[in-house]
Amino acid sequence: MNGKRPNLDLAPIGNCAISSLIDRQGRHVWSCAPRVDGDPVFSALMDGDDPQHGFWSIELEGQKHVEQAYVRNTPVLRTVLTAEDGAALEIIDFAPRHAKHSRTYRPIALARIIRPLHGVPRITIRLRPARDWGARRAPTTSGSNHVRYHCTDLTFRLTTDCPVSHVLDERTFRVERTLSFFFGPDEGYDQEVGAGVAAARERTEDYWRQWVRTLYLPLDWQEAVIRAAITLKLCAHEETGAIVAALTTSVPEFPESGRNWDYRFCWIRDAYYTVRVLTRLGAIDILENYLAYLRNLVDNAAGGHVQPVYGVGLEGAITERIVDTVEGYHGMKPVRVGNQAHEHLQHDVYGQIVLPLVQSFYDQRLLRPGSVEDFHALETVGERAFAVHDQTDAGLWEFRTIARVHTYSSMMCWAACDRLAKAADQLKLHERAEVWRERAGIIRERIEREAFVAEEGRFAASFGGTELDASLLQMVELGFLDPMDPRQVATFDAIERDLKKGPYLFRYVEPDDFGEPETAFNFCTFWFIEALHINGRVDEAREMFEQMLSRRTNAGLLSEDISLGDDELWGNYPQTYSLVGIINCAVLLSRSWTDVR
């Protein structure tokens, strides 16, 4: 890795079965298999500043310059390396995804193409997969045109038309023709690798271009919206319908904070915001798949407790542990695998199950519209929401030692009952509609009484409290308050006064389990931008949105957090919350298409 300090300026590729993060030098530095929450095959991102394995690099002799960009409207990445003498080559990276034998072909595989562009480039290929959470290099065996890498849960096979000994011996050699690499399951590659990888690239690019064509885009900021939408789709585990919060684990929220979490799981909350915004763009395929995931969770819960987070295979037990076999991002430990949040009570989850599932009772595009039986199954979730709406929980920020009746959680329970009432009317179940309307009214009255700070005319983040958190900005979005309600205006003003630091918004500022927060939460900044618009400050909203867009990585993406002063990105990456914020704000703030038609 040449001792280069890692950062989050990374470009993800993927196919909804496997993903990989590639740095600005064209090196694979993070990829897990056989699932996104599995053992890292490429672990270098989490192994300090100079890892000896866990990466796949193409090193150009005498390298001077790098250019990197996605192929338009795809997650196919092109990196151009140029040497001091002008010799240059391009690297094309992608994960195959296209139609094959009447189904979607999305193997647990990564493909690379190396093509000389100018002069006589000389390169060294270092393919060093890891195993046992980065503890050691994966052992290898080889054949005439392939190398096997025995990783922890999967044996990968590299099939290539490059001389195998060049790869095994990490020999420096001339690139005089196009070289192709297929790094996938340990099975025979049934065609000539050069032609096969080239065809897979063409079909993969075509698949993504066609998918992007189905999106309804705002007039402005289309490039940002397209890149965010593609990346949100890469965070979907298509086999089950799960959507993970991010592709990484243990990138700290700020330096040496100990706030290092594993986000490679399906949070019901994060997935709710993700499918909501993608449906807004017309990406119904992801919603439909996720609804199947949710229906399975509802069945498994059988009217009882629902966890805030599950494994991508619907696993409830995602036990948190610390691994010591990698050094951590920038050497900052701990590195956590699993997430204790699966043990938490977070009562907002019931609303975030009901709201997306309710759409199935209205949306005629769905292959499987919601049925009366589905509604009755969903009522068990509503029953749970009503039962816990005034009970303490860990809240959406997942406090580990603080329990309160959080306003946001209670408001989501209200939303669950409110939407069930509307869905019952849609299904002509009017008696049930009355039941749910009455329950929604009871919760509303409780929130308005218990979470209201009368002397300031605003709401607080918890019942009986006075503290603020950014989730109160969602009261309008959920339909709990009218945009011009004076209580909304007062709450917004208080949040701006107390939580806005420079150009960013903090989730909260009170000390928590780990002390005072030191970085802003990007999704909350986007919530604030939306609130600026709601409160009539449109020019300020657009200016603040442009500032946030300028903070994106070269790949056009954001992580979870950003630091004041130097604007460095922290927290797991790419973070679905942050990408949702990009799309929501672009749609809200864009000029209308009627302005140019």
Side-chain angles (χ1 to χ4, degrees):
M1 294 284 284
N2 298 329
K4 292 186 180 295
R5 187 172 177 83
N7 58 44
L8 294 182
D9 197 0
L10 306 169
I13 63 170
N15 62 6
C16 305
I18 190 173
S19 59
S20 188
L21 298 181
I22 299 173
D23 72 7
R24 288 295 296 277
Q25 301 299 315
R27 296 178 288 217
H28 287 262
V29 295
W30 183 257
S31 181
C32 299
R35 302 191 325 191
V36 64
D37 55 358
D39 198 273
V41 175
F42 300 124
S43 57
L45 182 67
M46 281 294 119
D47 209 8
D49 294 345
D50 192 17
Q52 299 304 303
H53 55 261
F55 59 87
W56 185 0
S57 66
I58 311 294
E59 299 170 14
L60 174 65
E61 189 174 75
Q63 180 178 311
K64 181 181 180 181
H65 183 64
V66 181
E67 293 181 10
Q68 191 177 74
Y70 285 109
V71 175
R72 180 177 175 268
N73 292 356
T74 78
V76 177
L77 187 68
R78 181 175 184 262
T79 306
V80 176
L81 306 180
T82 304
E84 293 177 352
D85 64 2
L89 59 85
E90 70 172 4
I91 307 167
I92 303 295
D93 283 295
F94 66 99
R97 181 181 174 89
H98 53 81
K100 183 177 181 180
H101 303 315
S102 301
R103 62 179 177 83
T104 300
Y105 175 64
R106 42 172 168 74
I108 302 173
L110 306 169
R112 305 198 91 161
I113 301 171
I114 301 173
R115 185 169 71 92
L117 298 177
H118 303 291
V120 185
R122 286 168 50 82
I123 65 169
T124 306
I125 299 173
R126 305 190 196 279
L127 176 50
R128 300 181 181 179
R131 64 169 291 137
D132 303 330
W133 262 95
R136 56 196 179 102
R137 284 179 67 170
T140 64
T141 57
S142 61
S144 57
N145 67 345
H146 72 266
V147 185
R148 288 188 182 90
Y149 298 88
H150 301 281
C151 299
T152 304
D153 298 315
L154 201 65
T155 295
F156 278 90
R157 178 188 292 213
L158 176 73
T159 304
T160 181
D161 54 11
C162 174
V164 168
S165 64
H166 286 0
V167 178
L168 286 171
D169 297 339
E170 298 185 352
R171 181 182 298 135
T172 301
F173 67 97
R174 282 176 162 230
V175 182
E176 297 180 329
R177 58 180 175 84
T178 298
L179 302 173
S180 300
F181 305 81
F182 186 85
F183 183 75
D186 184 22
E187 53 194 44
Y189 195 78
D190 61 0
Q191 56 191 309
E192 193 272 313
V193 66
V197 170
R201 174 195 175 181
E202 181 179 345
R203 292 170 185 162
T204 298
E205 290 180 2
D206 186 61
Y207 167 83
W208 288 101
R209 283 192 292 260
Q210 293 301 319
W211 185 77
V212 168
R213 285 185 68 230
T214 69
L215 301 180
Y216 178 77
L217 299 175
L219 175 60
D220 299 319
W221 303 295
Q222 290 188 29
E223 178 275 330
V225 170
I226 289 170
R227 184 53 49 200
I230 287 173
T231 308
L232 287 175
K233 186 173 171 71
L234 296 185
C235 290
H237 185 73
E238 192 168 62
E239 182 184 45
T240 62
I243 300 168
V244 299
L247 298 177
T248 61
T249 179
S250 301
V251 180
E253 291 181 15
F254 52 87
E256 305 295 354
S257 64
R259 301 172 189 255
N260 303 23
W261 317 116
D262 192 348
Y263 277 10
R264 301 169 302 147
F265 305 106
C266 185
W267 268 261
I268 305 304
R269 179 186 311 113
D270 302 53
Y272 154 71
Y273 282 107
T274 298
V275 296
R276 183 179 175 280
V277 77
L278 288 174
T279 303
R280 194 175 193 177
L281 297 181
I284 200 71
D285 57 326
I286 298 176
L287 169 68
E288 196 148 36
N289 213 20
Y290 177 63
L291 292 185
Y293 182 87
L294 275 188
R295 284 191 290 266
N296 279 304
L297 286 184
V298 170
D299 288 349
N300 294 342
H305 167 66
V306 176
Q307 297 176 191
V309 57
Y310 290 85
V312 297
L314 296 157
E315 298 88 358
I318 48 175
T319 305
E320 183 176 300
R321 62 188 175 92
I322 292 174
V323 298
D324 294 317
T325 46
V326 285
E327 291 300 313
Y329 181 74
H330 289 194
M332 296 177 190
K333 292 186 174 182
V335 175
R336 290 186 171 93
V337 179
N339 200 298
Q340 188 202 38
H342 78 279
E343 301 174 359
H344 289 186
L345 297 177
Q346 295 176 26
H347 299 323
D348 57 312
V349 68
Y350 301 106
Q352 285 140 1
I353 289 174
V354 170
L355 267 60
L357 280 169
V358 157
Q359 181 160 340
S360 68
F361 304 119
Y362 298 91
D363 199 328
Q364 294 299 310
R365 296 172 296 174
L366 296 174
L367 296 174
R368 187 193 179 282
S371 66
V372 171
E373 291 76 16
D374 290 336
F375 176 80
H376 290 315
L378 197 54
E379 283 191 292
T380 65
V381 180
E383 296 282 357
R384 185 75 178 173
F386 184 67
V388 301
H389 76 271
D390 58 354
Q391 302 300 302
T392 59
D393 72 352
L396 81 162
W397 308 127
E398 301 187 333
F399 297 121
R400 296 197 167 199
T401 61
I402 301 172
R404 297 168 176 154
V405 181
H406 289 94
T407 305
Y408 177 83
S409 296
S410 189
M411 189 166 54
M412 271 294 179
C413 292
W414 166 83
C417 297
D418 178 74
R419 297 334 188 253
L420 282 170
K422 294 173 180 176
D425 276 335
Q426 171 73 7
L427 295 169
K428 300 187 174 11
L429 302 172
H430 301 303
E431 290 185 6
R432 299 308 301 162
E434 285 303 314
V435 169
W436 290 111
R437 261 192 291 275
E438 180 183 358
R439 290 175 176 178
I442 291 170
I443 300 175
R444 171 181 281 279
E445 187 276 332
R446 191 73 186 274
I447 295 171
E448 291 179 336
R449 184 176 75 249
E450 300 287 351
F452 191 62
V453 184
E455 57 270 26
E456 297 184 40
R458 64 166 177 87
F459 285 95
S462 66
F463 284 17
T466 59
E467 78 283 1
L468 291 162
D469 82 47
S471 67
L472 294 170
L473 295 173
Q474 290 289 283
M475 299 183 100
V476 172
E477 181 66 29
L478 287 169
F480 190 85
L481 290 182
D482 182 83
M484 293 301 102
D485 190 311
R487 296 172 299 176
Q488 184 279 134
V489 175
T491 303
F492 168 77
D493 289 344
I495 287 172
E496 181 175 26
R497 179 193 68 219
D498 292 355
L499 301 188
K500 187 171 182 287
K501 308 293 181 184
Y504 308 122
L505 199 77
F506 278 58
R507 290 174 289 184
Y508 49 85
V509 293
E510 290 81 10
D512 59 17
D513 316 306
F514 291 83
E516 292 185 7
E518 295 184 18
T519 49
F521 196 79
N522 291 325
F523 195 30
C524 294
T525 300
F526 288 119
W527 278 351
F528 185 78
I529 292 168
E530 294 179 55
L532 281 173
H533 181 273
I534 289 169
N535 286 273
R537 294 159 60 180
V538 178
D539 290 343
E540 289 178 69
R542 289 177 69 96
E543 180 182 357
M544 199 169 177
F545 182 51
E546 290 283 5
Q547 284 182 324
M548 286 301 292
L549 291 180
S550 73
R551 307 298 189 248
R552 294 175 299 158
T553 61
N554 182 67
L557 307 173
L558 288 167
S559 65
E560 182 181 48
D561 307 279
I562 194 165
S563 59
L564 300 178
D566 62 6
D567 302 320
E568 184 171 357
L569 294 177
W570 292 92
N572 285 306
Y573 176 90
Q575 217 240 4
T576 54
Y577 267 159
S578 300
L579 305 182
V580 166
I582 291 173
I583 297 172
N584 274 334
C585 288
V587 171
L588 182 67
L589 299 174
S590 173
R591 294 171 295 162
S592 169
W593 279 101
T594 58
D595 291 348
V596 297
R597 283 176 176 159

